[in-house]
Amino acid sequence: MVPQPPAGPADAHAPARARVLVASNRGPVSYTLRDDGGLDARRGGGGVVSGLSAIGARDDSLWVCSALGDGDREAVRRGTAEPGVLMLDIDPDIHADAYNGIANSVLWFVHHMLYQTPLEPVFDDEFRRRWRAYETYNRAFAEALAERAADGAAVLVQDYHLALVPGLLRELRPDLRIGHFTHTPWAPPDYFRLLPDDIAEQLLRGLTGADRTCFLTRRWADAFTACCTEILGPDALKGTRTGVHGLGADAGFLRERAHRPDVDERLAALREQIGGADRKTIVRVDRTELSKNIVRGLLAYRHLLATRPEWHERVVHIAFAYPSRQDLAVYRDYTAEVQRLADAINEEYGVPGWTPVVLHVKDDFARSLAAYRLADVALVNPIRDGMNLVAKEIPVVSDAGCALVLSREAGAYEELGADALVVNPYDVIATAGALHEALTLPAEVRADRTARLASAATALPPSRWFLDQLEALTG
């Protein structure tokens, strides 16, 4: 048994030995340094954080996460901590190589099948150096969990950043019940084999160290099983069960939050930008991740305007494209292309009193909710997505009901496809046709579909999503 270390000043509020532990790269709170030297704490948002925050209802729980910035690291040094949270101050260079160099630049690209294979990937000495950092990063989490877990505790490890943790933790603490949840898609075997053979095997052995490996859809779980069988052999999953838990939208929170005064203010501002009271809206809300397919969405909208002139001055595309991972050049270039294309559409088709594309790039949750309420059509067309909560949230919040144009490559398709207009995300012409069909859907049909979409979208709300995993692991 791993001995219990003395409680450090950074985690004085954490239980000495936790019965339930969550591990994730990003924690439930982040810190920023004020000019006067003080620290401001900010709670995280989003469905995943909301779901995992169900752990906070227990006084025998611990959330282990990484310090992500200078404010977080200063909080650790000062011993500032939230109850039930242990923040690890991992060397910033190690974290950068593990997080950006491997997790976001390799594993994300593999599972979203984003590589331009004539030129990439190239697994060279630099990759191997970064992989060693990824191993070090995962080992730091495994050791922290091993030190803080009570006998027979349940540990729920989150996402591709920490794929090695279950196997490492199993070696340190065979008594623990370990679960891992992958929030991304999982690549099919042929694409997963882009990875060096030893790395592919190491990742799979890391995850099969868990008692349960869980995914957002059956499709991703089956792909993982296929990889294990083909790469590790037919008995690879002998001690590991796979599970599917489709994270849903938090209907109560969304509907209450969407009617607060700040949202009403944004709603009025958006209506002014849209112009005519009878104009319809096509809404998308995304981060500028390469997988979200924002550029092809804009190209489809441009094709709609080019081939269906009856929509001129009658529709506005509200596109929120919030910058993501701007420390990576490929993401900066993609964000710039989104802006360039939106400007080009407005220059080509815009007239006084009508701006065809209303693009916002500054993250504003209240404004996103205002757009949800306004949506006549929701456009969710990712190249590949683990789930996509926006597809679930808009039908819940939309004031008058909305038609959902949904990529068949989104995890949400598994639950929402029957009542959506489903598209091949690469087919710009077909997507333009789906947008036209969505805009002309009879009101009663749209209302019926929206009700069914909202019901399916909220079937497994965030808190229940977490508790279902915990019960399956410990039951």
Side-chain angles (χ1 to χ4, degrees):
M1 188 61 64
V2 176
Q4 170 62 34
D11 56 346
H13 300 290
R17 288 279 192 166
R19 297 293 311 167
V20 178
L21 301 92
V22 163
S24 62
N25 175 69
R26 184 179 300 276
V29 65
S30 61
Y31 296 91
T32 54
L33 268 171
R34 298 195 303 266
D35 292 341
D36 64 3
L39 286 169
D40 288 328
R42 181 176 181 270
R43 302 294 297 183
V48 174
V49 171
S50 176
L52 295 176
S53 292
I55 192 176
R58 305 175 59 107
D59 58 10
D60 61 349
S61 65
L62 180 65
W63 191 326
V64 180
C65 58
S66 179
L68 299 184
D70 292 339
D72 288 354
R73 295 187 183 95
E74 183 62 25
V76 174
R77 285 190 286 269
R78 294 183 188 182
T80 301
E82 295 289 307
V85 177
L86 172 61
M87 194 172 278
L88 305 181
D89 187 6
I90 296 170
D91 179 274
D93 292 335
I94 293 292
H95 183 271
D97 283 336
Y99 182 74
N100 282 328
I102 296 296
N104 289 343
S105 294
V106 177
L107 302 183
W108 177 274
F109 274 68
V110 167
H111 289 312
H112 288 83
M113 300 169 62
L114 289 174
Y115 278 122
Q116 299 181 49
T117 52
L119 297 174
E120 55 185 9
V122 177
F123 296 123
D124 53 11
D125 288 342
E126 177 61 15
F127 164 77
R128 291 289 174 170
R129 185 189 68 78
R130 292 173 176 173
W131 181 256
R132 289 191 292 273
Y134 183 80
E135 292 174 317
T136 300
Y137 178 70
N138 276 252
R139 191 173 300 110
F141 270 86
E143 291 173 353
L145 292 164
E147 291 170 348
R148 288 310 187 118
D151 293 350
V155 182
L156 293 99
V157 183
Q158 304 300 310
D159 229 353
Y160 59 102
H161 315 94
L162 301 176
L164 304 183
V165 167
L168 295 169
L169 184 56
R170 178 67 65 204
E171 293 177 3
L172 294 170
R173 293 287 305 274
D175 62 299
L176 299 179
R177 286 165 289 184
I178 305 169
H180 186 281
F181 199 101
T182 297
H183 296 268
T184 64
W186 190 272
D190 286 351
Y191 208 90
F192 190 73
R193 284 184 180 274
L194 286 177
L195 292 165
D197 292 350
D198 62 316
I199 300 299
E201 181 174 337
Q202 190 177 353
L203 285 164
L204 294 175
R205 292 201 184 281
L207 291 174
T208 55
D211 296 286
R212 295 186 82 239
T213 54
C214 301
F215 301 86
L216 288 163
T217 72
R218 174 51 54 190
R219 180 183 179 187
W220 312 141
D222 288 347
F224 170 75
T225 299
C227 286
C228 288
T229 301
E230 292 193 22
I231 294 172
L232 300 182
D235 296 327
L237 290 168
K238 193 171 182 179
T240 304
R241 294 169 291 150
T242 58
V244 175
H245 302 272
L247 177 63
D250 187 340
F253 164 75
L254 287 169
R255 287 170 177 151
E256 184 278 326
R257 182 66 183 86
H259 289 85
R260 292 184 192 174
D262 60 339
V263 177
D264 290 334
E265 291 172 7
R266 270 64 161 196
L267 190 65
L270 283 174
R271 282 181 171 140
E272 186 173 346
Q273 286 184 291
I274 291 166
D278 294 332
R279 282 178 181 159
K280 292 186 176 292
T281 58
I282 300 170
V283 169
R284 78 171 307 136
V285 178
D286 282 306
R287 296 183 304 279
T288 52
E289 290 172 355
L290 308 183
S291 62
K292 298 301 184 182
N293 209 24
I294 301 169
V295 167
R296 287 192 188 89
L298 288 167
L299 290 173
Y301 180 63
R302 184 170 70 180
H303 187 79
L304 174 73
L305 297 180
T307 58
R308 298 277 187 175
E310 65 267 29
W311 288 115
H312 292 192
E313 301 188 61
R314 292 182 54 217
V315 66
V316 172
H317 185 13
I318 301 173
F320 294 167
Y322 301 141
S324 174
R325 299 175 183 170
Q326 295 300 290
D327 44 355
L328 298 177
V330 66
Y331 282 84
R332 294 195 298 272
D333 293 345
Y334 189 75
T335 301
E337 178 59 16
V338 169
Q339 182 72 64
R340 186 203 66 77
L341 185 52
D343 291 343
I345 293 171
N346 286 335
E347 183 176 348
E348 183 175 3
Y349 293 103
V351 296
W354 177 54
T355 303
V357 180
V358 172
L359 176 68
H360 285 284
V361 297
K362 184 178 179 182
D363 197 348
D364 185 330
F365 183 55
R367 187 173 57 208
S368 297
L369 290 173
Y372 286 4
R373 288 179 56 186
L374 275 173
D376 294 299
V377 177
L379 174 58
V380 181
N381 68 320
I383 294 170
R384 194 167 165 87
D385 213 334
M387 176 55 71
N388 197 298
L389 281 178
V390 170
K392 292 186 169 186
E393 291 170 350
I394 294 182
V396 171
V397 174
S398 174
D399 282 349
C402 68
L404 175 63
V405 176
L406 180 64
S407 165
R408 67 191 184 198
E409 298 302 315
Y413 165 72
E414 197 166 284
E415 298 169 76
L416 306 183
D419 287 295
L421 298 167
V422 179
V423 296
N424 172 348
Y426 299 95
D427 191 337
V428 168
I429 295 174
T431 302
L435 290 174
H436 173 73
E437 183 179 352
L439 288 165
T440 55
L441 208 62
E444 63 275 11
V445 174
R446 188 174 69 177
D448 288 345
R449 287 192 178 193
T450 302
R452 290 192 295 270
L453 288 169
S455 177
T458 56
L460 192 63
S463 60
R464 189 68 250 169
W465 168 82
F466 173 82
L467 294 173
D468 277 5
Q469 293 174 65
L470 182 60
E471 290 168 5
L473 182 61
T474 59

PDB file of all heavy atoms in Angstrom, residues 207-213 224 236-242:
ATOM      1  N   LEU A 207      -5.094   2.213 -21.138  1.00  0.00           N
ATOM      2  CA  LEU A 207      -6.544   2.276 -20.941  1.00  0.00           C
ATOM      3  C   LEU A 207      -7.118   0.953 -20.453  1.00  0.00           C
ATOM      4  O   LEU A 207      -8.082   0.934 -19.679  1.00  0.00           O
ATOM      5  CB  LEU A 207      -7.220   2.704 -22.241  1.00  0.00           C
ATOM      6  CG  LEU A 207      -6.959   4.168 -22.646  1.00  0.00           C
ATOM      7  CD1 LEU A 207      -7.540   4.452 -24.018  1.00  0.00           C
ATOM      8  CD2 LEU A 207      -7.541   5.121 -21.619  1.00  0.00           C
ATOM      9  N   THR A 208      -6.547  -0.161 -20.883  1.00  0.00           N
ATOM     10  CA  THR A 208      -7.066  -1.451 -20.414  1.00  0.00           C
ATOM     11  C   THR A 208      -6.608  -1.752 -18.990  1.00  0.00           C
ATOM     12  O   THR A 208      -6.992  -2.784 -18.422  1.00  0.00           O
ATOM     13  CB  THR A 208      -6.652  -2.595 -21.361  1.00  0.00           C
ATOM     14  OG1 THR A 208      -5.225  -2.594 -21.526  1.00  0.00           O
ATOM     15  CG2 THR A 208      -7.323  -2.441 -22.712  1.00  0.00           C
ATOM     16  N   GLY A 209      -5.844  -0.848 -18.382  1.00  0.00           N
ATOM     17  CA  GLY A 209      -5.590  -0.931 -16.951  1.00  0.00           C
ATOM     18  C   GLY A 209      -6.809  -0.550 -16.129  1.00  0.00           C
ATOM     19  O   GLY A 209      -6.859  -0.792 -14.922  1.00  0.00           O
ATOM     20  N   ALA A 210      -7.809   0.044 -16.774  1.00  0.00           N
ATOM     21  CA  ALA A 210      -9.043   0.434 -16.091  1.00  0.00           C
ATOM     22  C   ALA A 210      -9.999  -0.748 -15.983  1.00  0.00           C
ATOM     23  O   ALA A 210      -9.991  -1.658 -16.818  1.00  0.00           O
ATOM     24  CB  ALA A 210      -9.725   1.571 -16.848  1.00  0.00           C
ATOM     25  N   ASP A 211     -10.841  -0.716 -14.960  1.00  0.00           N
ATOM     26  CA  ASP A 211     -11.922  -1.695 -14.862  1.00  0.00           C
ATOM     27  C   ASP A 211     -12.997  -1.418 -15.906  1.00  0.00           C
ATOM     28  O   ASP A 211     -13.608  -2.343 -16.430  1.00  0.00           O
ATOM     29  CB  ASP A 211     -12.549  -1.635 -13.460  1.00  0.00           C
ATOM     30  CG  ASP A 211     -11.576  -2.023 -12.373  1.00  0.00           C
ATOM     31  OD1 ASP A 211     -11.286  -3.222 -12.245  1.00  0.00           O
ATOM     32  OD2 ASP A 211     -11.098  -1.126 -11.655  1.00  0.00           O
ATOM     33  N   ARG A 212     -13.226  -0.129 -16.169  1.00  0.00           N
ATOM     34  CA  ARG A 212     -14.193   0.275 -17.191  1.00  0.00           C
ATOM     35  C   ARG A 212     -13.579   1.369 -18.041  1.00  0.00           C
ATOM     36  O   ARG A 212     -13.038   2.346 -17.510  1.00  0.00           O
ATOM     37  CB  ARG A 212     -15.495   0.804 -16.582  1.00  0.00           C
ATOM     38  CG  ARG A 212     -16.304  -0.217 -15.810  1.00  0.00           C
ATOM     39  CD  ARG A 212     -17.659   0.365 -15.377  1.00  0.00           C
ATOM     40  NE  ARG A 212     -18.662   0.315 -16.439  1.00  0.00           N
ATOM     41  CZ  ARG A 212     -19.281   1.355 -16.950  1.00  0.00           C
ATOM     42  NH1 ARG A 212     -18.990   2.581 -16.534  1.00  0.00           N
ATOM     43  NH2 ARG A 212     -20.199   1.213 -17.889  1.00  0.00           N
ATOM     44  N   THR A 213     -13.652   1.233 -19.357  1.00  0.00           N
ATOM     45  CA  THR A 213     -13.288   2.312 -20.280  1.00  0.00           C
ATOM     46  C   THR A 213     -14.573   2.764 -20.948  1.00  0.00           C
ATOM     47  O   THR A 213     -15.295   1.962 -21.540  1.00  0.00           O
ATOM     48  CB  THR A 213     -12.287   1.824 -21.346  1.00  0.00           C
ATOM     49  OG1 THR A 213     -12.815   0.666 -22.003  1.00  0.00           O
ATOM     50  CG2 THR A 213     -10.959   1.487 -20.718  1.00  0.00           C
ATOM     51  N   PHE A 224     -12.792   1.427 -30.201  1.00  0.00           N
ATOM     52  CA  PHE A 224     -11.761   1.118 -29.201  1.00  0.00           C
ATOM     53  C   PHE A 224     -11.598  -0.394 -29.055  1.00  0.00           C
ATOM     54  O   PHE A 224     -10.472  -0.912 -29.036  1.00  0.00           O
ATOM     55  CB  PHE A 224     -12.139   1.746 -27.865  1.00  0.00           C
ATOM     56  CG  PHE A 224     -11.278   1.303 -26.713  1.00  0.00           C
ATOM     57  CD1 PHE A 224      -9.977   1.783 -26.572  1.00  0.00           C
ATOM     58  CD2 PHE A 224     -11.769   0.407 -25.774  1.00  0.00           C
ATOM     59  CE1 PHE A 224      -9.181   1.362 -25.517  1.00  0.00           C
ATOM     60  CE2 PHE A 224     -10.981  -0.009 -24.710  1.00  0.00           C
ATOM     61  CZ  PHE A 224      -9.676   0.472 -24.585  1.00  0.00           C
ATOM     62  N   ALA A 236      -7.395  -8.962 -25.021  1.00  0.00           N
ATOM     63  CA  ALA A 236      -6.931  -7.664 -24.509  1.00  0.00           C
ATOM     64  C   ALA A 236      -7.885  -7.061 -23.494  1.00  0.00           C
ATOM     65  O   ALA A 236      -7.459  -6.386 -22.554  1.00  0.00           O
ATOM     66  CB  ALA A 236      -6.726  -6.692 -25.667  1.00  0.00           C
ATOM     67  N   LEU A 237      -9.167  -7.298 -23.667  1.00  0.00           N
ATOM     68  CA  LEU A 237     -10.173  -6.674 -22.798  1.00  0.00           C
ATOM     69  C   LEU A 237     -10.710  -7.637 -21.741  1.00  0.00           C
ATOM     70  O   LEU A 237     -11.782  -7.411 -21.174  1.00  0.00           O
ATOM     71  CB  LEU A 237     -11.334  -6.134 -23.641  1.00  0.00           C
ATOM     72  CG  LEU A 237     -10.993  -4.921 -24.510  1.00  0.00           C
ATOM     73  CD1 LEU A 237     -12.095  -4.649 -25.504  1.00  0.00           C
ATOM     74  CD2 LEU A 237     -10.755  -3.694 -23.646  1.00  0.00           C
ATOM     75  N   LYS A 238      -9.941  -8.660 -21.454  1.00  0.00           N
ATOM     76  CA  LYS A 238     -10.407  -9.686 -20.520  1.00  0.00           C
ATOM     77  C   LYS A 238     -10.768  -9.109 -19.150  1.00  0.00           C
ATOM     78  O   LYS A 238     -11.743  -9.509 -18.525  1.00  0.00           O
ATOM     79  CB  LYS A 238      -9.333 -10.762 -20.363  1.00  0.00           C
ATOM     80  CG  LYS A 238      -9.817 -12.012 -19.666  1.00  0.00           C
ATOM     81  CD  LYS A 238      -8.767 -13.098 -19.736  1.00  0.00           C
ATOM     82  CE  LYS A 238      -9.277 -14.395 -19.082  1.00  0.00           C
ATOM     83  NZ  LYS A 238      -8.253 -15.480 -19.168  1.00  0.00           N
ATOM     84  N   GLY A 239      -9.976  -8.139 -18.670  1.00  0.00           N
ATOM     85  CA  GLY A 239     -10.251  -7.554 -17.360  1.00  0.00           C
ATOM     86  C   GLY A 239     -10.875  -6.178 -17.413  1.00  0.00           C
ATOM     87  O   GLY A 239     -10.959  -5.494 -16.387  1.00  0.00           O
ATOM     88  N   THR A 240     -11.308  -5.764 -18.608  1.00  0.00           N
ATOM     89  CA  THR A 240     -11.831  -4.400 -18.785  1.00  0.00           C
ATOM     90  C   THR A 240     -13.189  -4.435 -19.471  1.00  0.00           C
ATOM     91  O   THR A 240     -13.347  -5.100 -20.505  1.00  0.00           O
ATOM     92  CB  THR A 240     -10.859  -3.559 -19.642  1.00  0.00           C
ATOM     93  OG1 THR A 240      -9.574  -3.571 -19.039  1.00  0.00           O
ATOM     94  CG2 THR A 240     -11.347  -2.127 -19.773  1.00  0.00           C
ATOM     95  N   ARG A 241     -14.152  -3.733 -18.900  1.00  0.00           N
ATOM     96  CA  ARG A 241     -15.463  -3.600 -19.528  1.00  0.00           C
ATOM     97  C   ARG A 241     -15.537  -2.247 -20.230  1.00  0.00           C
ATOM     98  O   ARG A 241     -14.951  -1.271 -19.770  1.00  0.00           O
ATOM     99  CB  ARG A 241     -16.572  -3.687 -18.493  1.00  0.00           C
ATOM    100  CG  ARG A 241     -16.704  -5.042 -17.802  1.00  0.00           C
ATOM    101  CD  ARG A 241     -17.654  -4.953 -16.610  1.00  0.00           C
ATOM    102  NE  ARG A 241     -17.084  -4.155 -15.532  1.00  0.00           N
ATOM    103  CZ  ARG A 241     -17.801  -3.436 -14.680  1.00  0.00           C
ATOM    104  NH1 ARG A 241     -19.123  -3.345 -14.818  1.00  0.00           N
ATOM    105  NH2 ARG A 241     -17.210  -2.763 -13.708  1.00  0.00           N
ATOM    106  N   THR A 242     -16.264  -2.177 -21.316  1.00  0.00           N
ATOM    107  CA  THR A 242     -16.515  -0.895 -21.966  1.00  0.00           C
ATOM    108  C   THR A 242     -17.916  -0.423 -21.609  1.00  0.00           C
ATOM    109  O   THR A 242     -18.825  -1.237 -21.397  1.00  0.00           O
ATOM    110  CB  THR A 242     -16.368  -0.980 -23.495  1.00  0.00           C
ATOM    111  OG1 THR A 242     -17.273  -1.959 -24.000  1.00  0.00           O
ATOM    112  CG2 THR A 242     -14.945  -1.339 -23.892  1.00  0.00           C
TER     113      THR A 242
END
